[in-house]
Amino acid sequence: MKYRHEWKHEINMADHLTLRMRLSAVMQKDIHAINGKYEIRSLYFDTPSDKALREKTDGVNRREKFRIRLYNADTSRIQLEKKSKLNNLCTKESCLLSENEARSILAGNPEWMKDCDRPLCQELYYKMRSQGLRPKTIVEYTREPFVFFPGNVRVTIDYNIRTGDFRTDFLNPDTLTLPAGESPILLEVKWDEFLPDIIRDAVTIPGRRVTAFSKYEQCRIYG
């Protein structure tokens, strides 16, 4: 399991426009982006006692979150993901789910995962049974992604963060989502062993500090 460095900065619209120009000059657009961006919808899991939320709020150094994710409402490529954090480092494991498999999880029928050949599905099944892990809320936002191959750098600008509150009908394109309070525009920078100076310079905005902002935490603003 390989951990990566991660920076997050809360920025404003003026910063956003400046960064878009800078990053476009030195980085490539993600090949999956449509007109430079894509729409992300995730369904986060948590326990009845909100273990993932409490660990984030309390600043626990080692923690994890499970989610199901799709891009641009494309149900032909649904991903199950586990994001783990250790201090200021992060890693992500993922595997594909069919639409029927995702619907089965949402319906509270995870038994098929017990004997699945994908270890991440087996792990989710075990934690659903042992910890009571269940779908908790939908998180939506728009992302502008940039990549830089030296250092395996990925820079994203996320905005228009919306919450499903307690709605979990993840695959319903018409499910209602609401603005997640006064959510900022979020700059995220991820890299492996080194961050090239050209990218470090491009993402530097005076007065902006590294933050621990969590979209899942923000989307639980209503409960």
Side-chain angles (χ1 to χ4, degrees):
M1 185 182 303
K2 186 172 185 177
Y3 280 85
R4 284 162 57 80
H5 299 270
E6 180 180 73
W7 281 347
K8 294 182 181 180
H9 300 268
E10 296 181 27
I11 62 175
N12 58 34
M13 182 57 70
D15 298 334
H16 182 182
L17 297 175
T18 299
L19 285 164
R20 180 188 288 159
M21 290 188 293
R22 287 183 186 174
L23 296 173
S24 296
V26 298
M27 302 184 73
Q28 297 182 20
K29 296 288 182 65
D30 187 310
I31 60 173
H32 301 293
I34 300 174
N35 296 321
K37 61 186 178 181
Y38 44 69
E39 303 298 326
I40 294 178
R41 173 180 282 187
S42 299
L43 176 64
Y44 281 80
F45 290 70
D46 214 333
T47 67
S49 62
D50 288 329
K51 178 176 181 288
L53 180 62
R54 288 188 294 104
E55 289 182 345
K56 171 62 184 69
T57 303
D58 295 343
V60 175
N61 286 333
R62 183 188 291 272
R63 59 186 187 269
E64 66 184 26
K65 287 182 292 193
F66 281 86
R67 65 194 180 204
I68 300 176
R69 171 169 288 189
L70 55 78
Y71 298 85
N72 297 321
D74 181 6
T75 57
S76 69
R77 188 175 179 83
I78 303 171
Q79 294 185 176
L80 169 63
E81 299 180 345
K82 181 180 82 167
K83 186 173 182 180
S84 304
K85 299 209 71 171
L86 177 61
N87 298 320
N88 293 322
L89 301 174
C90 66
T91 189
K92 185 173 70 175
E93 302 168 68
S94 65
C95 68
L96 292 177
L97 297 175
S98 70
E99 183 173 346
N100 284 339
E101 289 171 342
R103 290 190 183 281
S104 181
I105 294 172
L106 298 180
N109 300 315
E111 292 300 319
W112 64 270
M113 293 191 291
K114 180 171 58 175
D115 300 314
C116 180
D117 60 358
R118 285 155 284 173
L120 193 58
C121 289
Q122 291 183 338
E123 182 178 354
L124 177 59
Y125 172 80
Y126 170 75
K127 289 178 177 175
M128 290 180 77
R129 288 302 184 221
S130 64
Q131 299 179 9
L133 209 61
R134 291 291 184 273
K136 185 65 71 166
T137 194
I138 294 169
V139 175
E140 289 184 338
Y141 53 95
T142 302
R143 166 165 286 179
E144 295 182 22
F146 301 85
V147 294
F148 190 78
F149 295 107
N152 190 23
V153 181
R154 183 173 181 82
V155 178
T156 56
I157 302 173
D158 299 336
Y159 51 94
N160 191 26
I161 301 171
R162 300 178 64 83
T163 176
D165 200 5
F166 287 113
R167 296 175 183 83
T168 59
D169 50 343
F170 170 73
L171 295 175
N172 177 6
D174 298 319
T175 191
L176 177 65
T177 58
L178 305 169
E182 297 294 327
S183 297
I185 301 171
L186 193 66
L187 169 70
E188 295 189 9
V189 185
K190 298 184 179 74
W191 72 96
D192 288 345
E193 285 78 15
F194 71 98
L195 180 62
D197 288 342
I198 190 171
I199 306 302
R200 187 184 298 270
D201 292 343
V203 299
T204 298
I205 299 289
R208 301 291 177 248
R209 298 181 179 179
V210 174
T211 180
F213 183 88
S214 163
K215 299 184 191 75
Y216 172 60
E217 181 182 18
Q218 183 69 21
C219 285
R220 291 292 305 276
I221 189 172
Y222 302 119

